[in-house]
Amino acid sequence: MAVTIDGLISGLDTASIITSLLELEKRPVDLLEAKQDVIDGQLSAWQEISTKLLSLETASLNINNSSKFNAIGSTFVNNNALQGGVVNVLANDNVITGSNSLSVYQIATQQKIVSDQGFGSTTQNIGHWSTTITTSTGTQTFYQTTLDELKSAINSSGLGVTASIINTSSTSTPYYRLQVTSNQPGVDNGFDLSVNQGLTGLGDPGILLSFSTMQQAQDAIVALDGITVTRSTNVFSDLIEGVELELLSAGSGTITFSTDTSQIVENMGEFVDAYNNVMGFIREQLVYNPAIDETGPLFGNSTLLVIQTSLTNMVTGVVSGLSQTIDPYTTLSQVGIYTELATSKLVLDSNSLVKALTDNFEGVRNLFVPAGSGTYTFVTAGGSASGGTYDTRVTNSGGNLVVQMRAQGSTGSWITLEQTGNYWDGPPGTVLEGLSIRAANLADGQTGTMSFSTGVAEQISYRVGFITEYSTESVIYNQLTSLETRKDDYQDQIDNLNLRIERKRVSMVRRYAQLEVTLAQLKSQSSYLTQQFESLLGLNK
């Protein structure tokens, strides 16, 4: 049973006294809870940084390889300026720039037929006769006696045709006719339809339907650069590699594929914006305001400072592996992407970028995407690889020929690449991790050189992926885990302190309760003694 204190005997507000005394005991709890609030702010900051970094990774991935960087635009110029559209052209980024002549002699069409007879109602009895349809998928015969029944039976047959009912008159006086259309264009997708006389014993055969052809099935015929091709479809995806052509009408003209600098500039703008969002938020976390003696949630965090420095170096320094004496561009500032000193933000000068793309497209591309050349065929170089020029050699190891590389001019150890068929990859944990080359027809003692660069976009996408991945190797994961652990430790301390405070409160309540009991006893004794003294005084008188 809980002990209550009312202070009726002592006249003391013992509850308030205990509360005041315990407030001093709770001061360490308040301090620990304040530390937890700080950690919550830091957790929130790291999570926001992770989100912004992932946006930067997405923007980097849009420009981190040749196919994505080579934004290709396509145009079709009709030979007849008065004619409408002839073809829609959809090209991916692997298309080789250039022009092709295209002539569309005819487009593929579906077969369409319609009944010569019509009826005032779709549910009207139209007689007893059979309809047989033959397509490339088979033959079926139907014995329906209304247009609705016949339409439904045809549509559920799986013959590759569709039946519909059309009204060729007015709403008030309808004249319903049956139309049958092949589902796909082309001669091979056409069909035969025949109607047979009514069946004996089923009553009046009614009107024997007949059908007229509204459109013949035909194949598309085109000529690409003088070579004629026939297809049963109007969508050609195998005439030009990486290009889909959708035929619209007969006609001719020229298709031109060229680098779409506007798309590249747009992608670069998204990359710059994503980078500025990350770096701007990082600066907010590291700021110190002496006027109010206030710091950002992650002020002084060494890990965040390393992230800030590494990202800055990637976009401001010379791209790893590019030569200032050979390559036309080695820094982003040379193509119109520079750091504004006043704000430390990246700025995109689109005019300068377009000029650089026009002057030397490959030079700009090599700033962002992996590139390489040398004795063997360069395949790719991931962001973990260290760009530069390397000597190569082929040596016999255990009876097998292997390819080895080391930095040109170095006297260090040779790095043996890992083989998969004709492909050789840099081993994990080395400066060549992420490098892939293709080498065939090897000979013992063969030597050569390989030069490669990784590109800013590839470096950033790799680095950001490493920072944000959900594993024990991730920088942010470890930061979050450490903070959560500290927060849990503080909570354990808070729980222990609260338990001690509660025990002390119970002890104090009992002591003050005992004080009240003792005072009550003393008061009772005082009253008794007073009465006794008064009685003695009365007797003496």
Side-chain angles (χ1 to χ4, degrees):
M1 180 180 293
V3 180
T4 59
I5 305 172
D6 52 23
L8 294 178
I9 304 301
S10 65
L12 300 175
D13 186 355
T14 53
S16 296
I17 293 172
I18 292 174
T19 299
S20 298
L21 292 173
L22 292 180
E23 284 297 327
L24 297 175
E25 298 287 338
K26 291 180 65 177
R27 180 60 179 161
V29 173
D30 295 338
L31 294 175
L32 290 171
E33 289 177 342
K35 290 181 179 180
Q36 284 187 318
D37 290 340
V38 171
I39 289 179
D40 284 337
Q42 294 172 340
L43 287 170
S44 178
W46 277 116
Q47 289 163 352
E48 184 66 18
I49 289 171
S50 180
T51 299
K52 292 183 180 298
L53 282 171
L54 289 173
S55 296
L56 175 59
E57 181 182 21
T58 299
S60 299
L61 290 173
N62 286 334
I63 52 175
N64 81 327
N65 62 55
S66 295
S67 63
K68 292 183 178 180
F69 192 89
N70 292 352
I72 299 296
S74 59
T75 57
F76 177 79
V77 178
N78 200 322
N79 289 337
N80 184 350
L82 300 178
Q83 190 178 18
V86 174
V87 63
N88 286 331
V89 183
L90 179 62
N92 65 31
D93 294 330
N94 292 317
V95 177
I96 299 174
T97 58
S99 299
N100 301 89
S101 64
L102 178 71
S103 296
V104 180
Y105 298 120
Q106 69 179 33
I107 64 172
T109 56
Q110 300 161 271
Q111 181 180 348
K112 291 184 180 182
I113 65 173
V114 66
S115 64
D116 299 317
Q117 298 79 20
F119 303 89
S121 169
T122 60
T123 58
Q124 175 183 338
N125 191 314
I126 58 176
H128 297 280
W129 35 262
S130 63
T131 303
T132 301
I133 297 179
T134 300
T135 69
S136 60
T137 61
T139 300
Q140 286 194 38
T141 300
F142 310 95
Y143 300 96
Q144 278 64 41
T145 58
T146 71
L147 288 184
D148 270 344
E149 290 176 351
L150 183 56
K151 180 194 74 172
S152 298
I154 292 174
N155 290 340
S156 61
S157 67
L159 287 174
V161 296
T162 298
S164 57
I165 297 173
I166 59 175
N167 181 11
T168 57
S169 184
S170 63
T171 304
S172 58
T173 57
Y175 192 65
Y176 295 108
R177 300 164 70 183
L178 184 69
Q179 177 176 280
V180 183
T181 305
S182 56
N183 291 344
Q184 299 295 330
V187 173
D188 290 341
N189 294 314
F191 60 91
D192 293 322
L193 183 148
S194 62
V195 181
N196 301 316
Q197 190 62 43
L199 301 179
T200 305
L202 292 180
D204 183 6
I207 301 174
L208 186 64
L209 289 183
S210 62
F211 289 82
S212 296
T213 298
M214 307 303 295
Q215 179 174 278
Q216 292 281 4
Q218 67 179 23
D219 292 333
I221 303 175
V222 304
L224 181 71
D225 295 332
I227 301 175
T228 302
V229 179
T230 301
R231 295 282 190 277
S232 62
T233 176
N234 288 315
V235 178
F236 289 65
S237 58
D238 56 355
L239 284 185
I240 306 173
E241 185 177 0
V243 178
E244 182 178 280
L245 303 176
E246 181 187 10
L247 307 185
L248 303 177
S249 66
S252 63
T254 301
I255 304 172
T256 301
F257 303 102
S258 58
T259 302
D260 186 358
T261 56
S262 63
Q263 183 62 55
I264 294 175
V265 171
E266 181 179 337
N267 291 343
M268 288 296 178
E270 293 174 356
F271 168 76
V272 168
D273 289 343
Y275 175 86
N276 286 337
N277 284 338
V278 171
M279 300 302 280
F281 189 77
I282 288 177
R283 283 192 294 272
E284 291 176 6
Q285 309 316 302
L286 298 172
V287 72
Y288 169 66
N289 188 341
I292 57 176
D293 193 24
E294 185 176 280
T295 62
L298 300 177
F299 177 76
N301 185 285
S302 59
T303 299
L304 188 56
L305 286 168
V306 170
I307 293 174
Q308 182 188 48
T309 301
S310 63
L311 291 177
T312 300
N313 291 341
M314 288 180 192
V315 299
T316 58
V318 174
V319 176
S320 174
L322 294 181
S323 170
Q324 291 178 296
T325 58
I326 299 175
D327 295 295
Y329 310 118
T330 57
T331 64
L332 300 191
S333 60
Q334 293 173 314
V335 298
I337 302 175
Y338 59 91
T339 302
E340 189 176 60
L341 295 178
T343 63
S344 298
K345 291 184 177 181
L346 275 187
V347 177
L348 171 61
D349 182 344
S350 57
N351 292 329
S352 296
L353 177 58
V354 169
K355 184 179 185 306
L357 288 167
T358 304
D359 293 344
N360 194 317
F361 178 84
E362 184 177 1
V364 178
R365 182 182 62 191
N366 290 348
L367 284 173
F368 294 91
V369 307
S373 61
T375 303
Y376 305 110
T377 303
F378 173 80
V379 178
T380 189
S384 56
S386 298
T389 300
Y390 290 79
D391 291 324
T392 69
R393 75 177 185 182
V394 177
T395 186
N396 191 305
S397 176
N400 297 313
L401 296 179
V402 297
V403 178
Q404 296 180 326
M405 295 175 60
R406 72 178 179 185
Q408 193 170 67
S410 170
T411 58
S413 301
W414 289 87
I415 299 173
T416 301
L417 277 62
E418 299 177 345
Q419 181 183 14
T420 305
N422 288 333
Y423 291 88
W424 297 81
D425 302 323
T430 69
V431 294
L432 297 178
E433 180 182 356
L435 173 68
S436 180
I437 61 175
R438 187 169 67 246
N441 302 319
L442 301 178
D444 190 10
Q446 185 180 61
T447 61
T449 60
M450 285 296 300
S451 297
F452 69 90
S453 59
T454 52
V456 171
E458 172 59 28
Q459 290 179 36
I460 287 182
S461 61
Y462 169 79
R463 179 63 179 167
V464 169
F466 174 76
I467 293 171
T468 59
E469 70 177 5
Y470 190 77
S471 75
T472 55
E473 296 181 355
S474 165
V475 173
I476 291 182
Y477 176 85
N478 287 327
Q479 287 289 313
L480 293 175
T481 301
S482 176
L483 289 171
E484 290 286 2
T485 300
R486 286 171 54 196
K487 184 177 178 181
D488 290 341
D489 289 343
Y490 288 147
Q491 188 60 50
D492 289 341
Q493 294 178 53
I494 290 171
D495 292 340
N496 290 332
L497 286 171
N498 282 332
L499 182 60
R500 288 168 51 192
I501 291 170
E502 175 60 19
R503 288 173 178 171
K504 191 165 187 176
R505 186 194 68 81
V506 171
S507 176
M508 292 176 68
V509 167
R510 287 175 177 170
R511 290 179 181 179
Y512 276 105
Q514 185 60 44
L515 173 63
E516 291 293 321
V517 171
T518 301
L519 289 175
Q521 291 174 346
L522 292 173
K523 185 175 182 181
S524 176
Q525 292 175 1
S526 174
S527 297
Y528 173 75
L529 291 173
T530 300
Q531 292 175 359
Q532 293 301 313
F533 280 127
E534 289 179 349
S535 297
L536 290 173
L537 290 173
L539 291 173
N540 291 334
K541 290 180 180 181

